[in-house]
Amino acid sequence: MGAISKMSTVQYGPVLDKVISSVLMADRKPRSLRELTASAVMKAAGPSLGPAALARLGDAAFLAGVEARLEHEDSLLLPPSRMRVRFVHVSDTHSCHWKVRIPEGDVLVHTGDLLANYGRSDNLEKQLDDAFLWLAHLSKRFDRVLVIGGNHDTPLDIPQAKAKLHLPPNVVYIEGDKQRVDYRGLRIWMSPVTPSREETEGLRYVSNAFERTSELQSPD
């Protein structure tokens, strides 16, 4: 990173973070650093930027800072290819999902704890609806989205929970034990089931979804 880029990072701080996040979350983003101009940033992220960020787009030093930060995001540099599959993994979003920056890829995998279930009077059904709304939004950027529940996701650990979810065709919610998903010749095994902490630790938690005692777990 050059001196001018270092200066940009220090000088612009939160404004630079906002622009980077907005560009990476945009549906239409620059596909290479050569396309990184003020107009490209404006087209990609303009609607979500505030006045402070918009005012900086004509500043060469500021754009240099944006370029330096995006150099670490190879999703902008690596062209799509049928010869490779890029997986993007995320978990433990705990109802902060809209704040998470998700890079580009072919398959998005969320391995549980979508909800902030800490035993208080949280509206878990509302949290769940919002989490799957976020996943549906992300599904427009991925060929496949794979999801399992975590121990905080108690509304999912009920019979027929999957039937209540309204998912896009490319979003796969896996509710059973050791289910397999095939994708472009790859076999992906996923399961939300974990050992019961009441059995292993002698402790009982409110957030105990998909915890199973040894006699209830499927044999290997």
Side-chain angles (χ1 to χ4, degrees):
M1 186 185 296
I4 190 171
S5 300
K6 290 181 180 178
M7 179 186 71
S8 301
T9 301
V10 173
Q11 181 179 358
Y12 300 124
V15 178
L16 182 60
D17 288 340
K18 176 65 175 177
V19 171
I20 294 294
S21 179
S22 298
V23 169
L24 293 174
M25 290 291 288
D27 292 329
R28 298 180 61 187
K29 57 177 63 64
R31 295 307 306 169
S32 73
L33 295 179
R34 288 188 296 275
E35 298 178 19
L36 185 64
T37 63
S39 60
V41 172
M42 181 65 183
K43 181 181 292 185
S48 63
L49 297 180
L54 291 173
R56 296 294 189 185
L57 292 184
D59 189 325
F62 180 78
L63 285 177
V66 174
E67 179 177 347
R69 288 278 295 278
L70 290 178
E71 284 179 348
H72 299 289
E73 299 290 340
D74 62 349
S75 61
L76 293 178
L77 301 176
L78 194 63
S81 171
R82 297 298 298 178
M83 299 299 293
R84 57 177 170 259
V85 177
R86 181 171 185 175
F87 288 86
V88 177
H89 173 249
V90 63
S91 69
D92 298 270
T93 43
H94 293 294
S95 289
C96 293
H97 38 267
W98 292 106
K99 299 179 181 180
V100 180
R101 190 172 72 196
I102 302 294
E104 296 297 310
D106 300 297
V107 180
L108 174 64
V109 181
H110 195 301
T111 53
D113 283 354
L114 291 153
L115 309 185
N117 178 11
Y118 301 111
R120 299 184 293 273
S121 57
D122 301 308
N123 190 334
L124 297 182
E125 294 294 340
K126 184 177 180 180
Q127 288 188 43
L128 186 65
D129 289 344
D130 191 63
F132 276 93
L133 178 65
W134 172 68
L135 290 171
H137 173 74
L138 287 174
S139 71
K140 300 173 184 176
R141 295 171 44 198
F142 289 86
D143 192 29
R144 195 75 54 87
V145 177
L146 310 178
V147 190
I148 59 174
N151 65 285
H152 283 262
D153 303 326
T154 49
L156 292 174
D157 192 14
I158 60 174
Q160 304 301 316
K162 186 175 182 178
K164 300 179 181 180
L165 302 175
H166 302 286
L167 305 177
N170 64 328
V171 177
V172 181
Y173 170 65
I174 297 170
E175 58 182 344
D177 188 17
K178 300 178 183 176
Q179 290 197 25
R180 191 184 89 187
V181 177
D182 295 329
Y183 180 77
R184 285 169 52 179
L186 300 175
R187 294 180 176 181
I188 307 158
W189 295 89
M190 300 179 66
S191 172
V193 175
T194 59
S196 168
R197 288 175 291 176
E198 185 174 4
E199 181 179 66
T200 60
E201 303 174 15
L203 300 173
R204 185 172 185 177
Y205 294 86
V206 172
S207 54
N208 63 350
F210 303 104
E211 294 188 10
R212 304 290 187 263
T213 58
S214 54
E215 62 266 21
L216 293 178
Q217 293 181 48
S218 299
D220 292 335

